[in-house]
């Protein structure tokens, strides 16, 4: 799928290799690389897209908008690395620790 190749290329361009690998594992765990994934179907608030964010505006968003929304979320929540990358590895650790995936 072209969108999957595009988001991987964007991540590879903007992240170090280590953060790129963590980013890819998050996306796989959250949506299995489905740009249109909808989660939490029986819950109070549904989640959308590659990163399963609870923003209805992402329901039909393209991969770039989803990527950058999640990038800003990770920076805000988990900080940045010494290379100024969003700290996806810290976000992945949190995801695994909580047992959400």
């Amino acid at each position: 799928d072209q969108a999957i190749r595009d988001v991987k290329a964007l991540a590879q361009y903007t992240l170090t290799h280590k953060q790129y690998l963590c980013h890819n594992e998050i996306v796989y765990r959250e949506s299995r690389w489905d740009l249109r994934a909808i989660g939490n179907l029986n819950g109070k608030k549904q989640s959308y897209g590659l990163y399963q964010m609870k923003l209805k505006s992402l329901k039909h968003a393209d991969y770039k908008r989803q990527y950058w929304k999640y990038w800003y979320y990770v920076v805000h929540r988990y900080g940045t690395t010494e290379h100024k990358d969003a700290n996806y590895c810290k976000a992945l650790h949190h995801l695994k620790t909580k047992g959400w995936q």
Side-chain angles (χ1 to χ4, degrees):
D1 181 278
Q2 187 61 44
I4 293 170
R5 286 191 296 277
D6 290 343
V7 78
K8 284 183 178 180
L10 179 58
Q12 192 168 28
Y13 179 75
T14 59
L15 302 171
T16 62
H17 184 67
K18 179 180 177 182
Q19 295 303 317
Y20 172 76
L21 294 176
C22 290
H23 165 271
N24 289 355
E25 186 171 344
I26 289 169
V27 178
Y28 179 77
R29 287 170 172 263
E30 291 287 5
S31 67
R32 299 298 192 262
W33 292 98
D34 182 354
L35 189 67
R36 301 286 171 234
I38 299 174
N40 199 24
L41 294 173
N42 298 318
K44 202 186 307 183
K45 212 164 182 192
Q46 293 179 335
S47 53
Y48 304 99
L50 294 168
Y51 307 96
Q52 290 297 284
M53 296 184 74
K54 293 180 180 181
L55 298 170
K56 196 161 188 161
S57 64
L58 296 178
K59 186 173 184 177
H60 301 291
D62 68 10
Y63 75 91
K64 285 185 228 170
R65 181 161 163 72
Q66 289 187 34
Y67 179 84
W68 289 113
K69 269 290 196 199
Y70 192 67
W71 187 90
Y72 285 112
Y73 169 78
V74 171
V75 167
H76 177 74
R77 176 104 192 237
Y78 302 103
T80 58
T81 69
E82 66 276 10
H83 303 290
K84 304 294 185 230
D85 286 341
N87 199 333
Y88 289 104
C89 293
K90 195 170 182 182
L92 178 60
H93 179 264
H94 183 80
L95 187 69
K96 289 177 175 179
T97 302
K98 291 294 182 183
W100 292 331
Q101 294 294 323

